[in-house]
Amino acid sequence: MKKLIKGLREFKSSYFSANEELFEQLSHGQKPRVLFITCSDSRIDPNLITQAGLGELFVIRNAGNIIPPFGATNGGEGATIEYAVQALDIQQIIICGHSHCGAMKGLMKLDSLRVEMPLVHDWLKYAEATRRLVKDNYSNYEGEELLEIIIAENVLTQIENLRTYPVIHSKLHQKQLSIYAWIYQIETGEVLTYDSQKHAYVLLQNQLPTSEIDETLFNPPLGKTEQ
Amino acid sequence: MKKLIKGLREFKSSYFSANEELFEQLSHGQKPRVLFITCSDSRIDPNLITQAGLGELFVIRNAGNIIPPFGATNGGEGATIEYAVQALDIQQIIICGHSHCGAMKGLMKLDSLRVEMPLVHDWLKYAEATRRLVKDNYSNYEGEELLEIIIAENVLTQIENLRTYPVIHSKLHQKQLSIYAWIYQIETGEVLTYDSQKHAYVLLQNQLPTSEIDETLFNPPLGKTEQ
Amino acid sequence: MKKLIKGLREFKSSYFSANEELFEQLSHGQKPRVLFITCSDSRIDPNLITQAGLGELFVIRNAGNIIPPFGATNGGEGATIEYAVQALDIQQIIICGHSHCGAMKGLMKLDSLRVEMPLVHDWLKYAEATRRLVKDNYSNYEGEELLEIIIAENVLTQIENLRTYPVIHSKLHQKQLSIYAWIYQIETGEVLTYDSQKHAYVLLQNQLPTSEIDETLFNPPLGKTEQ
Amino acid sequence: MKKLIKGLREFKSSYFSANEELFEQLSHGQKPRVLFITCSDSRIDPNLITQAGLGELFVIRNAGNIIPPFGATNGGEGATIEYAVQALDIQQIIICGHSHCGAMKGLMKLDSLRVEMPLVHDWLKYAEATRRLVKDNYSNYEGEELLEIIIAENVLTQIENLRTYPVIHSKLHQKQLSIYAWIYQIETGEVLTYDSQKHAYVLLQNQLPTSEIDETLFNPPLGKTEQ
Amino acid sequence: MKKLIKGLREFKSSYFSANEELFEQLSHGQKPRVLFITCSDSRIDPNLITQAGLGELFVIRNAGNIIPPFGATNGGEGATIEYAVQALDIQQIIICGHSHCGAMKGLMKLDSLRVEMPLVHDWLKYAEATRRLVKDNYSNYEGEELLEIIIAENVLTQIENLRTYPVIHSKLHQKQLSIYAWIYQIETGEVLTYDSQKHAYVLLQNQLPTSEIDETLFNPPLGKTEQ
Amino acid sequence: MKKLIKGLREFKSSYFSANEELFEQLSHGQKPRVLFITCSDSRIDPNLITQAGLGELFVIRNAGNIIPPFGATNGGEGATIEYAVQALDIQQIIICGHSHCGAMKGLMKLDSLRVEMPLVHDWLKYAEATRRLVKDNYSNYEGEELLEIIIAENVLTQIENLRTYPVIHSKLHQKQLSIYAWIYQIETGEVLTYDSQKHAYVLLQNQLPTSEIDETLFNPPLGKTEQ
Ligand SMILES: [Zn+2]
Ligand SMILES: [Zn+2]
Ligand SMILES: [Zn+2]
Ligand SMILES: [Zn+2]
Ligand SMILES: [Zn+2]
Ligand SMILES: [Zn+2]
């Protein structure tokens, strides 16, 4: 805790002092461009890995970057999504899973959680579509390899869930919303993104020379291509 | 989106490259010391304001930094808390509200949300204790001043809610858990913390010379003093 | 009621007597090929309009042919879908809306239902994505024309919801499940189906000479083309 | 699927063409006399077995012809009942179970469903009163015989549940609603009905010469005799 | 509070001292004969009005003596009923309403409660069948007279709800359970009971000379006569 | 049942006759000073043990004197608390556990209840914080001794839960509400109360000579000392 207090002081004396104008401006309102949904895992710092500035990422974080279907829970996920899309008019949503995710490991040993961590057990119900898909289709995988598949499939599951929210459903129809599936790999510092045409995850940041990076890389984003 | 991709490349080539050993180490597991619960607001970057490193903060973010009482929702908040305390053995929890919070503004005009943003409306039920307290006790305030009171009281409300979780209840009894109420002020870059002996929020980072900052500043934290 | 009893007698003496072998066979088990989800409306008789025989259609009927997202309700819809796909291995699902649907009319005057028919009001929450989409995108329509759009869009909404069920999600991944959007038009006795390539409903039964009707007509079905 | 399309064409060219006036009339509204609640089982065709015409039966179908008590679920059953009684002024309700019901078989091996078909497992909670009654009172039965008892008792359980709905409760008080318990026997094509005076199911359609069939057969119907 | 402490002392020195053997015996277990369900109203003392001794009445008390249908809530009512019937083998249940009931007054002005007392408002959903019945059938009553009807009908509504619990359903089938509807009239100190044959409430305690009071007075109790 | 009828007659002829004025007065309204929350156990008679008169105690009784956190259930507990504090302006709440509590025994063998008494099992979720605390901190206790600890801790757990209700939260802030933890000991006829300064339960009624009993004995009550 001492460390955090020193950090607060350091932040104030260095970063804040050097950017007072920005903070003055931010105090009048936020206008983020992206809703960034990721895991609570301490190894993920959304602003660091995207080098996004303050005010750019509206962030939801919970164990497993899970978004239950519309109406399925009365927790904060749905309300925060609604606020992001309706009140802030955000038009880009990234669901970002990550390698070595503890929640996804939990999905592999669900029964043992029932007694030990009952709330986690119940929460993973909203990744049940992931568990089922992997159990039915990847029964020949195990260990690290299986975990990677679970992590990758779960982001797609959560995007399906996200699509059931009324504000999302309507914005997708208007083609005013794009949804991206990301996987952040802790050990390489890289991000994979789901390419809905190749039906596969592809490496995002090293794929093209900087000059050529443009929206086509993502096209079609998941939200827009379907239906 | 192009900006984020460039950011990812920059992150990889600079920060990641300079800290490869850290990432290698992080890929083997996380051992965060603090559960940091804050709003989804894009103007908050927990790692930036506390200068905490990767792997130090386990983070929950939703609209309004709200933690419903145990059993009240089946969203991600309870599961993530359980995971933090049970699986990761975290012993310090910070609930961090912030100035100019849009969710807390919503609490001031709750009825208008029913139609416009029904999920946000319903979610604010878990800040109803805040709304009620402020309505009953601060009827002579309005505008910015009222909003500040709501923001400050809401963090305390959410700590009450947090105390109803079995893992929290047990750890508090063992004095193995401390809970802190913070308010981050965007315009000053400073953090207020609730001093349970003074029954008031006090400025955290500027209060003492660096050399004197120690745990006593927070003592007794909210979690330990009560009951 | 007298009429129904006479009907039962007539059924027994005519249809049953003429098909005793079929009933004997059916008494040993069912093996339906299609899950047919439609409205409770008395003007729809699934077996009549498709001329399907006994044992061919597994049927869910409720007001508005609504399928809430996975986890959103604890009513019969989810269980019946699970039973159809898991226990009966059904691989084709039709969601069939219909012209002049009373439930969809209710969606146009939702507020008035809150007091008058509170259960219907609450049930229509699972068509909220339809209502929202139409409100945002078809504000220049009204009356019969608007109702037609609502009916058509609602079938697509319910297909989105259907996709969140674990068994559905997994079977779609395996390409072992096809989902079709139908609209039955009472006044013409015809059925429209959603063509996911044309992004439009097309007339199903009169489109091709009988000889040419084959699976390509529906290809790609909604369930298989997406993601 | 080809078969269904051919069926649609055949329906249009034969039945529809021969009854255009009826369809024209139906397109202006429905006025069904009976709410028919039955299982999703593909071997049941309500219109066929009762020889009821289009527009005569308002139909709810789910696995097990289950109607959860008022307030117990937020699925379609309650809303559809409310719509039938309140909006359509239906005054006769038939709950129709059937022989060889798969859902009722599930009730006999409930534990095995927990993992295999969790939604079906949870749904059968609303037949728990049936399971309990049979377990306490018919412990000496097994196999087919036990299944028949379960099927028969379950229809009575669901009528108890039905009676808790406000619209039902009020209409029963006014003696403007009759509720009938039916069991359709696939192998004989016959229907049993519960005779509340004999406290037993009796064969419905063969009991009397046609000329004598009248309402007294059913009197007192379940809804009216009780309380 | 002083008064209560003095009361505790007085109880210990007088009643307890005079009945030490009873308390010794009670400390080894309870074997109540009756489950007594009544309102939280401070003017009702179940043991006083029935002159029942310690250990004779197992008591549920909440605002309005309401028992939601099985599965409709996860509050204490269902669990306590289950415990009474299953663990304690209680075979007699009394639901006892009372004159001047504040909760039932609330049912007459339900809308005004939505904002003022939202939890009470929501709780009265389980008396909605009462409200509906009275609204549909007693529209020509008002004030005190209307309140009396509501109170009387509500006890019958709650008995309908009670009948949906599995343990109740099974015990009624076995004729091992009797359910009684009572109304306690504060101003006369008398109790009315529902006579299911007369379809009316009748005065309970003054009806017969003491010598003739026997079980037939209540026969058939509500639980046993129906179905 | 005969016994109860005789009791009613006796009550009317003796107690009621001797206190007609009181009943006349009570019929015009209640003004209780205390909300008394206790177990349904037949061995507890709140009015007897406190010698409180009619009209003095507003009473909630359920299995285990459990108060789920705000929002966690839709049963009667929350509504009744709201009514007590909001409508009746009660400013003192006693949660009174008791020795030999069957519900608390259930907490010691929770798993065995899942099948046998599922509603009781689920209800004890709201005493899970008690179970967890005791499991983590008193693993060296068993039998009667363990049960006593569970009973004592559970009252404190329920007070934590109580504090999450908006009306409670607001009144505590205004210091207009006191909450007391009591344990009634059947075998001694005595009551223990939690002394929040000593962090221990102390004997309530014998502690001081009558003349010295005053409010300071309870000060600070649990509700007022915290936060
Ligand atoms: Zn993770
Ligand atoms: Zn905020
Ligand atoms: Zn319809
Ligand atoms: Zn069936
Ligand atoms: Zn009352
Ligand atoms: Zn007890």
Side-chain angles (χ1 to χ4, degrees), chain C residues 11 13 17 22 29 68 71 84 102 104 109 130 134 143 157 174 187 210 218:
Chain C
F11 161 70
S13 63
S17 299
L22 168 65
M104 291 302 104
K109 46 167 192 172
T130 305
V134 171
T157 298
Q174 300 168 56
E187 58 278 26
T210 304
F218 307 93

Side-chain angles (χ1 to χ4, degrees), chain E residues 39-41 43-44 62-65 98-104, chain F residues 30:
Chain E
C39 187
S40 292
D41 194 293
R43 295 166 293 182
I44 306 170
N62 62 38
N65 41 273
H98 68 101
S99 60
H100 312 294
C101 180
M104 291 303 103
Chain F
Q30 63 174 327

Side-chain angles (χ1 to χ4, degrees), chain F residues 39-50:
Chain F
C39 186
S40 292
D41 194 294
S42 64
R43 296 167 292 182
I44 305 171
D45 180 345
N47 286 80
L48 176 65
I49 65 175
T50 62

Side-chain angles (χ1 to χ4, degrees), chain C residues 39-41 43-44 62-65 98 100-104, chain D residues 30:
Chain C
C39 186
S40 292
D41 194 295
R43 297 167 291 182
I44 305 171
N62 62 38
N65 41 273
H98 68 101
H100 312 292
C101 180
M104 291 302 104
Chain D
Q30 62 174 326

Side-chain angles (χ1 to χ4, degrees), chain B residues 40-187:
Chain B
S40 293
D41 194 295
S42 64
R43 296 167 292 182
I44 305 171
D45 179 345
N47 287 80
L48 175 66
I49 65 175
T50 63
Q51 299 283 307
L54 282 176
E56 292 184 359
L57 303 181
F58 194 74
V59 182
I60 294 174
R61 298 186 69 170
N62 62 37
N65 41 272
I66 287 171
I67 299 298
F70 172 65
T73 66
N74 50 357
E77 289 77 19
T80 310
I81 288 164
E82 189 181 69
Y83 189 84
V85 176
Q86 175 81 359
L88 298 177
D89 199 26
I90 285 178
Q91 301 188 354
Q92 294 185 313
I93 302 178
I94 294 164
I95 301 189
C96 180
H98 69 100
S99 60
H100 312 294
C101 180
M104 292 301 105
K105 281 180 197 166
L107 208 55
M108 296 166 74
K109 45 166 192 173
L110 200 54
D111 273 344
S112 73
L113 295 179
R114 195 187 301 264
V115 168
E116 196 188 342
M117 288 192 272
L119 296 181
V120 175
H121 176 272
D122 291 355
W123 174 235
L124 291 176
K125 175 180 178 182
Y126 305 108
E128 174 64 16
T130 304
R131 200 184 67 84
R132 179 64 189 252
L133 184 157
V134 170
K135 179 165 161 284
D136 288 353
N137 294 278
Y138 298 94
S139 56
N140 49 331
Y141 289 82
E142 59 178 17
E144 284 298 309
E145 228 172 356
L146 181 59
L147 179 59
E148 277 179 33
I149 292 167
I150 288 174
I151 289 164
E153 283 295 343
N154 188 52
V155 176
L156 301 179
T157 298
Q158 302 313 323
I159 287 176
E160 288 286 359
N161 290 347
L162 189 59
R163 292 165 63 93
T164 58
Y165 284 83
V167 286
I168 302 290
H169 187 68
S170 177
K171 292 285 182 186
L172 285 175
H173 184 90
Q174 301 169 54
K175 301 203 186 310
Q176 291 184 4
L177 187 67
S178 301
I179 303 172
Y180 303 94
W182 280 18
I183 297 168
Y184 168 59
Q185 295 185 293
I186 294 170
E187 58 277 27

Side-chain angles (χ1 to χ4, degrees), chain F residues 86-210:
Chain F
Q86 175 82 359
L88 298 177
D89 199 25
I90 285 177
Q91 302 188 354
Q92 294 184 312
I93 302 179
I94 294 164
I95 300 189
C96 180
H98 68 101
S99 59
H100 312 292
C101 180
M104 291 302 104
K105 281 180 197 167
L107 207 56
M108 295 166 74
K109 45 165 193 174
L110 198 55
D111 274 344
S112 72
L113 296 178
R114 195 186 300 265
V115 168
E116 197 188 341
M117 289 191 271
L119 296 182
V120 175
H121 175 272
D122 291 355
W123 174 235
L124 291 176
K125 175 180 177 181
Y126 306 108
E128 174 64 17
T130 304
R131 200 184 68 83
R132 178 66 189 250
L133 183 157
V134 170
K135 178 165 162 285
D136 288 352
N137 294 278
Y138 297 94
S139 56
N140 50 330
Y141 289 82
E142 58 178 17
E144 283 299 308
E145 227 171 357
L146 181 59
L147 180 59
E148 277 179 34
I149 292 166
I150 289 173
I151 289 163
E153 283 295 343
N154 188 51
V155 176
L156 301 179
T157 298
Q158 302 312 323
I159 287 177
E160 289 285 359
N161 290 346
L162 189 59
R163 293 166 61 92
T164 59
Y165 285 84
V167 285
I168 302 289
H169 188 69
S170 177
K171 291 284 182 186
L172 285 175
H173 184 90
Q174 301 169 55
K175 302 203 186 309
Q176 291 185 4
L177 186 68
S178 301
I179 303 172
Y180 303 94
W182 280 18
I183 297 168
Y184 169 59
Q185 295 185 295
I186 294 170
E187 58 277 27
T188 65
E190 291 169 334
V191 165
L192 300 174
T193 190
Y194 188 75
D195 182 321
S196 64
Q197 293 190 319
K198 293 185 181 165
H199 294 283
Y201 279 90
V202 297
L203 197 54
L204 183 53
Q205 64 264 58
N206 292 337
Q207 207 173 11
L208 296 179
T210 304

